Amino acid sequence: MRESETPEPRPYHHGDLRRALVEAACRLLEKEGAQSLSLRAVAREAGVSPAAPYHHFKDKSELLDAVAHEGWEKLDLAFQAARDAQISPPDRVRELGVAYVRFASQHPDLYRVMYDCSRDKADMPAHVHENEESAYRRVREVLISAGADPTDEISLELATIACWCAAHGLAEMTSFKQFEPLKDALGGEEAFLRGVLAHVGVFAKGL
Amino acid sequence: MRESETPEPRPYHHGDLRRALVEAACRLLEKEGAQSLSLRAVAREAGVSPAAPYHHFKDKSELLDAVAHEGWEKLDLAFQAARDAQISPPDRVRELGVAYVRFASQHPDLYRVMYDCSRDKADMPAHVHENEESAYRRVREVLISAGADPTDEISLELATIACWCAAHGLAEMTSFKQFEPLKDALGGEEAFLRGVLAHVGVFAKGL
DNA sequence: TTTCTTATTTAAACAACGCTAAGATAGCGC
DNA sequence: GCGCTATCTTAGCGTTGTTTAAATAAGAAA
């Protein structure tokens, strides 16, 4: 807030502690895992006292909300390649699914935080669901261009939800070590993801 | 503590504290939620000191493992109706899916513990995957009797995994309040579940 | 400048947590 | 009786999330 125009004249004691805390939390998440992500550890990583975060976040869960928000933005970046690819609509649905699961596979602890926040509030994240550019809307549109009946609102929504469920389920299960042999047989995790999604109706045929 | 000499002859100090702790944990899970399920609270609920559980479980996660085990057994009971129903194989796959998600919807905190245990060990629960009676095998068999090629081992396994992913994803997302209007439009959560699963290829057509 | 006001941070403390170590107690075999 | 072992308790350690009060620094007003 209120960042001034010189290189580093910190307008307040720390500068932008809120931002620093979120970044420290992300750093710890990659380094130590979700298990050991305590508010005190975040404050320690940012070089401030344990009580400092409370001037920028109501409580720990609000810090995690901010981390999750950062996560959904990173996921959006991971989507870009699939979004811009010049491929058929059904293929694009599947590539969105692959990008989603691959992101979760590469940042498991961040994904866990992202999803736990949603679950605790019994809410889909705003990024995913609400605005016009959201992945939810995008899947919906691709389903239509792949042949779904645009007037059957209910069926369309059910199909979109089925997409998300399959992607989320796969995202959380892909690390199970029971699947290692199958991944090897298919030549890697990427092929495994594509293989599973190919068996989910909405991903396979566009409806 | 130490209720007076009741009919039952307690062979040790408490009788079967291990069992009592698991039951106390399940009770707390229904009453207070997963958030407030601490080891100390479980001990309190069971009427013993905070250190007592450590003679029956190595640490907290081992207690949760036992609770999760209990959970998978309860889920197996919830499966029975769908298993024994006299319906076509594709219908049975879907009914298994509905039973799975409905269980998670009715016992959200227990389901969370069940799944967190699996994720922390990067392992499918043994009940689900290993033995001959497992739901995993059962889905597999039903897929075959519904027309899947029994010789294509890889495709069969991918389809079975797709089933689990969709069911798990729906299990975790069904409580999102964004879906309330849709549930109302369809006449209840049960219809909503069936509607979503109908859009997942493996549930809809058996392959 | 000096003073006042407010935003930010710290230090100190509280209750609760997971867990460990030491000792007390109860059941069992001898 | 004796010892032995499993079980449970009391006490304590280090950590956590959170609150309170005091210190400090920045901006505005005099």
Side-chain angles (χ1 to χ4, degrees), chain A residues 1 13-14 17 48-49 51-52 55-56:
Chain A
M1 54 193 71
H13 300 188
H14 183 282
L17 182 55
V48 293
S49 79
H55 292 266
H56 302 272

Side-chain angles (χ1 to χ4, degrees), chain B residues 96-137:
Chain B
L96 281 174
V98 171
Y100 184 92
V101 182
R102 187 174 39 201
F103 175 86
S105 172
Q106 289 171 342
H107 309 96
D109 297 284
L110 177 56
Y111 183 76
R112 179 166 187 171
V113 169
M114 287 159 63
Y115 199 79
D116 282 352
C117 285
S118 296
R119 179 170 43 191
D120 286 346
K121 293 182 297 189
D123 248 330
M124 299 197 82
H127 274 71
V128 170
H129 190 254
E130 274 159 22
N131 71 74
E132 201 61 37
E133 297 279 316
S134 73
Y136 191 90
R137 299 273 170 165

Side-chain angles (χ1 to χ4, degrees), chain A residues 112 115 119-124 155 158-159 161 165 168-170 172-173 175-178 182 199 201-202, chain B residues 112 115 119-124 155 158-159 165 168-170 172-173 175-179 199 201-202:
Chain A
R112 180 164 185 172
Y115 199 80
R119 180 171 41 190
D120 287 345
K121 292 181 297 189
D123 246 330
M124 298 199 83
S155 179
L158 288 174
I161 294 170
C165 291
H168 171 65
L170 184 52
E172 288 213 312
M173 303 182 91
S175 64
F176 284 171
K177 48 178 190 272
Q178 280 90 349
L182 187 52
H199 282 273
V202 278
Chain B
R112 179 166 187 171
Y115 199 79
R119 179 170 43 191
D120 286 346
K121 293 182 297 189
D123 248 330
M124 299 197 82
S155 180
L158 288 173
C165 290
H168 171 66
L170 184 52
E172 288 213 313
M173 303 182 91
S175 64
F176 284 171
K177 49 178 187 272
Q178 280 90 350
F179 301 152
H199 281 274
V202 279

Side-chain angles (χ1 to χ4, degrees), chain A residues 5 13 26 50 59 75-76 85 109 137 145 155 169 186 192 200 203:
Chain A
E5 45 286 282
H13 300 188
C26 289
D59 55 18
L75 175 57
D76 202 52
D109 297 284
R137 298 272 170 167
S145 64
S155 179
L186 290 168
F192 170 76
V200 176
F203 283 107

Side-chain angles (χ1 to χ4, degrees), chain A residues 29-200:
Chain A
L29 213 47
E30 301 266 329
K31 209 178 357 173
E32 315 278 349
Q35 179 88 31
S36 45
L37 187 73
S38 67
L39 230 188
R40 293 177 104 105
V42 173
R44 228 174 288 138
E45 172 83 14
V48 293
S49 79
Y54 285 89
H55 292 266
H56 302 272
F57 302 98
K58 186 174 123 286
D59 55 18
K60 182 186 181 182
S61 81
E62 215 176 65
L63 204 195
L64 292 184
D65 283 349
V67 172
H69 186 91
E70 200 96 340
W72 291 109
E73 284 182 348
K74 286 178 183 167
L75 175 57
D76 202 52
L77 283 177
F79 269 156
Q80 269 180 10
R83 279 205 308 235
D84 303 342
Q86 299 282 348
I87 51 181
S88 74
D91 283 350
R92 178 169 293 129
V93 182
R94 184 148 80 207
E95 288 312 303
L96 281 174
V98 171
Y100 184 92
V101 183
R102 188 174 39 202
F103 175 86
S105 172
Q106 287 172 342
H107 310 95
D109 297 284
L110 177 56
Y111 183 76
R112 180 164 185 172
V113 169
M114 287 158 63
Y115 199 80
D116 282 351
C117 286
S118 296
R119 180 171 41 190
D120 287 345
K121 292 181 297 189
D123 246 330
M124 298 199 83
H127 274 71
V128 170
H129 191 254
E130 272 159 25
N131 73 73
E132 201 62 36
E133 296 279 315
S134 72
Y136 191 89
R137 298 272 170 167
R138 204 169 298 272
V139 169
R140 214 187 102 105
E141 286 159 19
V142 175
L143 288 179
I144 292 173
S145 64
D149 177 5
T151 67
D152 187 350
E153 195 59 53
I154 286 184
S155 179
L156 207 46
E157 198 157 356
L158 288 174
T160 311
I161 294 170
C163 267
W164 279 110
C165 291
H168 171 65
L170 184 52
E172 288 213 312
M173 303 182 91
T174 187
S175 64
F176 284 171
K177 48 178 190 272
Q178 280 90 349
F179 300 153
E180 290 298 326
L182 187 52
K183 286 181 191 170
D184 291 344
L186 290 168
E189 174 161 83
E190 195 82 11
F192 170 76
L193 299 183
R194 271 175 232 281
V196 174
L197 291 180
H199 282 273
V200 176

